Amino acid sequence: MVGGGNSALEEAVSLTKYASKVTIVHQFDKFQAFEHAIEEAKANPKIHFVMESTIIAFHGMDNLESVDIKNLVSGETKKFKTDGTFIFIGYIPNTNFLKDRVELNKWGEIVVKSDMSTSVEGVYAAGDSTTKRFRQVTTAVGDGTVAALAASNYLYELKVKQKQLITV
Ligand SMILES: Cc1cc2nc3c(=O)[nH]c(=O)nc-3n(C[C@H](O)[C@H](O)[C@H](O)COP(=O)(O)OP(=O)(O)OC[C@H]3O[C@@H](n4cnc5c(N)ncnc54)[C@H](O)[C@@H]3O)c2cc1C
């Protein structure tokens, strides 16, 4: 697991249900997560910590086999065998093309209301790129359902309005 925030630590604890050993690689000497998340991870005997370090290379043929971990203080690099790597070091939503068109927050996430409508009438958004607390497949799918129903309703109301205008 790469990262030191809440997501990294919580997912590391989650992974211990399936993995015999989970190693958290973090670039700083302290975590940025909530205290309870840090305590839970530290109390888990399957979790190991490699602090002030970063992965500089991934190796493998069909699957990942090892990574090179560089200690940022000593500069020393070690090969580390692993079956998988989960990266939780934050993300940048690919929403640049919406800048100045749809309201985004300071992290570039699309600001949505509860029906997934955006600042622009008729434009709906769903999933990880929107302002939300929990980013999971199930919440993205739920957002998509709400956005599709709201968009469909918007089109229906638009048609009704147009019909009324024609009648008048
Ligand atoms: C390491 C990791 C592990 C995770 N594990 C879990 C888990 O165990 N369970 C769980 O529920 N969730 C998990 N998640 C979260 C889950 O993957 C996301 O919440 C979910 O995929 C969000 O769905 P989405 O459709 O919003 O975004 P995405 O799945 O990211 O889909 C967005 C799609 O849009 C495409 N795209 C981007 N920009 C453009 C563009 N300009 N034009 C066209 N297409 C574009 C991308 O290529 C991508 O295919 C994990 C996430 C990570 C990073």
Side-chain angles (χ1 to χ4, degrees):
M1 182 67 66
V2 184
N6 286 318
S7 299
L9 296 191
E10 284 166 9
E11 293 293 336
V13 170
S14 246
L15 272 180
T16 58
K17 290 178 204 155
Y18 316 101
S20 54
K21 184 181 171 189
V22 175
T23 302
I24 298 179
V25 180
H26 184 42
Q27 59 178 331
F28 303 117
D29 61 347
K30 286 187 184 72
F31 292 110
Q32 294 94 6
F34 290 131
E35 204 50 47
H36 68 84
I38 299 172
E39 275 171 22
E40 198 183 352
K42 282 188 173 169
N44 192 312
K46 285 185 176 178
I47 298 181
H48 302 257
F49 302 91
V50 178
M51 305 299 283
E52 296 179 286
S53 299
T54 188
I55 294 179
I56 57 164
F58 294 84
H59 303 286
M61 292 304 285
D62 294 328
N63 297 310
L64 181 67
E65 287 163 16
S66 68
V67 292
D68 290 346
I69 300 178
K70 181 180 178 179
N71 184 300
L72 295 169
V73 179
S74 67
E76 190 190 358
T77 298
K78 279 185 182 164
K79 195 171 271 304
F80 183 91
K81 280 192 173 180
T82 180
D83 298 317
T85 303
F86 291 78
I87 300 170
F88 278 99
I89 50 171
Y91 69 100
I92 301 170
N94 191 13
T95 53
N96 239 344
F97 70 103
L98 293 171
K99 221 176 151 198
D100 303 324
R101 293 182 178 157
V102 170
E103 186 187 352
L104 306 176
N105 66 11
K106 63 177 174 179
W107 296 289
E109 297 161 353
I110 305 164
V111 177
V112 284
K113 299 186 193 83
S114 58
D115 65 348
M116 308 317 289
S117 59
T118 66
S119 59
V120 177
E121 196 184 302
V123 176
Y124 297 81
D128 278 12
S129 60
T130 64
T131 45
K132 62 197 285 187
R133 170 74 175 90
F134 298 110
R135 291 186 166 77
Q136 291 276 286
V137 169
T138 45
T139 61
V141 171
D143 290 349
T145 309
V146 173
L149 290 172
S152 157
N153 195 51
Y154 169 77
L155 288 174
Y156 174 76
E157 282 176 1
L158 208 62
K159 265 189 192 167
V160 171
K161 271 186 206 162
Q162 278 171 348
K163 244 188 191 169
Q164 282 168 346
L165 276 177
I166 292 166
T167 314
V168 170

